[in-house]
Amino acid sequence: MYAMPEEPKNPSDQKPVLLEPSKDIENLLKELPKIDSPKPIAPLLKPPPAPQITPPSFKAMEGTAKPQISPPPKLISPPVSNPSPPLPQGAKSFVRTMAEDLEAAKKGIKPEPKPFEIKPPPAIPKITPLPPPLEIPSAPQAKLGPAEKTRSLELPKIGPAPLARPPTARKFALSPKKLIIILIIIAAIFAGAWFFLTREPEKTAVFTPTPVPIPSPSPTPKTFSELIPSASQITIPSTQNFPTALTNRVNSLALFASGLTLLNLIDENSTPYSMNQIFEKLGITPPNGLLENLDSNEWIIAAYGQKESFDSRGLLTFNETPKPKIVFAAKIFDLILLRSALNNWESAMAADLKNLFDFDSKKATSETFLNNIYSGADIRYRNFPFADSTINYALVNLAKFNTDYFILTGSRESIYSTIDLLQTQ
């Protein structure tokens, strides 16, 4: 071993000292017996290399005095002490020391090598490189303008404060164009609100098949023969007086009160008389448009059993035996044309029907026909002089059958009963 001399503070003030090996160490090494080096069992760690010391350069010190070399100081070996604690009994140490080797060499014992394990050095943790430092952008340097001379400070003149004026009201006026635009905007807002509040949600179109109406058969009214079950056949020869023979045959019939009996009028050959023939046989001359607007296949001539009667003073009485009254009825083709024909016939009706209805035309209580309504039917009448001997005709509408009927009778009771018979079917 070499002792490192103290480095002089200034090389010019101190001389260099040469190092020599210690004589004690050399004598000690000579005294050691030669021992065959055992073969290593495990690789030994190499000691780190000793630092190299370069002596000072003498060329740099030319011209100066050579330093005196003093002998190196003697190294005093410290007393050997047991650095490790004593091992317990029975324990064996695996560490080989120089003291043990010296004792074994003095005794002439060959030292035994002690194996030991070389542990790998602990893993050095990876050092993550530090992120680069953030570059702080340098603030732009503000350039100062050229220096200018400043004016001297002048204090404001202090004087009396001016009186505060009250704020004047600003006039707010809109031009006509702006006013129109505002009104249009307000109207558009109200219109949009009304549209969204009142509109109905859109309904999805659902296809529904249109039902095909099935034409139902229109109801038809009953025939007169179905409405009037009672009937009587009367034969009047063509050579006889038709009004007289008809009156005699009707008066001989046994009629029931407030009821109708159909009259089947035939000639000597059992041929039924037509509607036109009966009017002709009775001496009735109807106006144009009357018979043409009556159904010749749906008509009747009947006898009614009258119970209502009036005395000479006009007091109402009732007959014990029904008195016969003639009733004529037929289905109408054109109601308007028939009404016009009846209006034209009213002036000659009393003269044409006096023999059929058996009244005295001179006893009429009115010069013209009067109006009456019964069960929704319009009635025109004229009394001779009371309601049991009169001319009554009516136009009856059956709405459910879409049919109109014409009725002509010789009393008020008989026309009321016939209207009821048509309307109650």
Side-chain angles (χ1 to χ4, degrees):
M1 295 180 64
Y2 295 92
M4 293 292 295
E6 293 182 3
E7 185 180 355
K9 295 182 181 180
N10 192 351
S12 60
D13 298 336
Q14 194 172 359
K15 296 179 181 180
V17 179
L18 296 176
L19 298 179
E20 292 181 359
S22 177
K23 293 181 180 180
D24 295 334
I25 296 173
E26 291 177 358
N27 296 328
L28 182 61
L29 291 175
K30 288 178 180 180
E31 291 177 1
L32 288 176
K34 295 182 180 180
I35 300 170
D36 295 334
S37 61
K39 295 182 180 180
I41 297 173
L44 300 177
L45 291 175
K46 294 179 179 182
Q52 295 180 1
I53 301 171
T54 56
S57 177
F58 291 98
K59 290 182 179 182
M61 300 179 181
E62 289 181 357
T64 61
K66 292 182 181 180
Q68 294 179 2
I69 299 171
S70 60
K74 294 182 180 180
L75 294 176
I76 300 171
S77 59
V80 178
S81 63
N82 189 8
S84 59
L87 294 175
Q89 186 177 1
K92 190 177 183 180
S93 177
F94 289 97
V95 179
R96 183 178 176 180
T97 61
M98 183 178 284
E100 292 177 357
D101 290 343
L102 292 176
E103 290 180 2
K106 289 178 180 181
K107 293 178 181 181
I109 300 171
K110 186 179 181 180
E112 295 179 359
K114 295 181 180 181
F116 64 94
E117 295 179 358
I118 300 173
K119 295 182 180 180
I124 300 172
K126 295 182 179 180
I127 301 172
T128 56
L130 295 176
L134 297 176
E135 294 182 0
I136 301 172
S138 58
Q141 297 180 358
K143 295 182 179 181
L144 300 177
E148 294 181 358
K149 292 183 178 181
T150 57
R151 296 181 180 179
S152 60
L153 295 176
E154 295 181 359
L155 296 176
K157 296 180 179 180
I158 300 173
L163 297 176
R165 295 183 181 180
T168 58
R170 298 178 64 184
K171 293 183 180 180
F172 182 76
L174 291 175
S175 63
K177 291 183 178 179
K178 292 183 179 179
L179 184 60
I180 292 172
I181 292 172
I182 293 172
L183 292 177
I184 291 173
I185 293 172
I186 294 172
I189 293 171
F190 277 101
W194 177 84
F195 173 75
F196 284 105
L197 292 176
T198 58
R199 71 170 184 174
E200 296 181 355
E202 296 181 359
K203 298 179 179 179
T204 57
V206 179
F207 175 75
T208 54
T210 304
V212 178
I214 300 173
S216 58
S218 58
T220 57
K222 294 181 180 180
T223 61
F224 285 109
S225 59
E226 293 173 348
L227 294 173
I228 305 171
S230 177
S232 177
Q233 186 171 325
I234 298 175
T235 302
I236 301 174
S238 57
T239 57
Q240 289 183 0
N241 187 351
F242 194 89
T244 304
L246 179 60
T247 302
N248 293 334
R249 299 290 191 280
V250 170
N251 291 333
S252 63
L253 294 175
L255 303 175
F256 57 92
S258 303
L260 289 170
T261 301
L262 290 178
L263 300 177
N264 296 325
L265 303 179
I266 60 175
D267 60 6
E268 66 274 12
N269 299 322
S270 300
T271 303
Y273 287 99
S274 65
M275 184 175 58
N276 293 343
Q277 289 175 344
I278 290 174
F279 270 80
E280 185 181 352
K281 290 289 184 178
L282 293 174
I284 300 173
T285 307
N288 295 330
L290 181 68
L291 297 178
E292 291 81 0
N293 287 291
L294 297 177
D295 189 357
S296 59
N297 296 321
E298 188 62 25
W299 65 279
I300 61 165
I301 187 168
Y304 178 77
Q306 175 85 16
K307 293 223 26 164
E308 187 180 51
S309 178
F310 293 87
D311 59 11
S312 60
R313 293 177 298 178
L315 297 177
L316 178 63
T317 61
F318 293 94
N319 298 322
E320 294 181 1
T321 302
K323 184 179 180 180
K325 291 292 181 180
I326 299 297
V327 175
F328 177 82
K331 188 184 289 186
I332 300 172
F333 286 144
D334 193 328
L335 180 63
I336 297 174
L337 294 178
L338 182 66
R339 189 188 294 273
S340 177
L342 290 172
N343 290 335
N344 295 331
W345 192 28
E346 284 184 356
S347 58
M349 193 177 288
D352 291 339
L353 299 176
K354 65 179 180 177
N355 294 328
L356 178 65
F357 293 150
D358 191 18
F359 61 82
D360 186 358
S361 59
K362 295 179 181 180
K363 294 181 180 182
T365 56
S366 62
E367 295 182 357
T368 59
F369 280 77
L370 304 177
N371 294 321
N372 188 16
I373 296 176
Y374 176 76
S375 189
D378 295 331
I379 299 174
R380 294 280 288 176
Y381 73 95
R382 192 177 180 190
N383 294 336
F384 299 97
F386 304 110
D388 59 340
S389 180
T390 181
I391 299 175
N392 280 267
Y393 73 89
L395 302 174
V396 182
N397 175 256
L398 300 181
K400 60 181 177 180
F401 302 116
N402 195 24
T403 306
D404 298 309
Y405 289 91
F406 168 65
I407 303 173
L408 177 63
T409 67
S411 68
R412 181 180 63 182
E413 182 184 348
S414 61
I415 197 168
Y416 285 177
S417 296
T418 307
I419 291 172
D420 290 339
L421 180 65
L422 291 173
Q423 291 183 343
T424 53
Q425 59 179 320

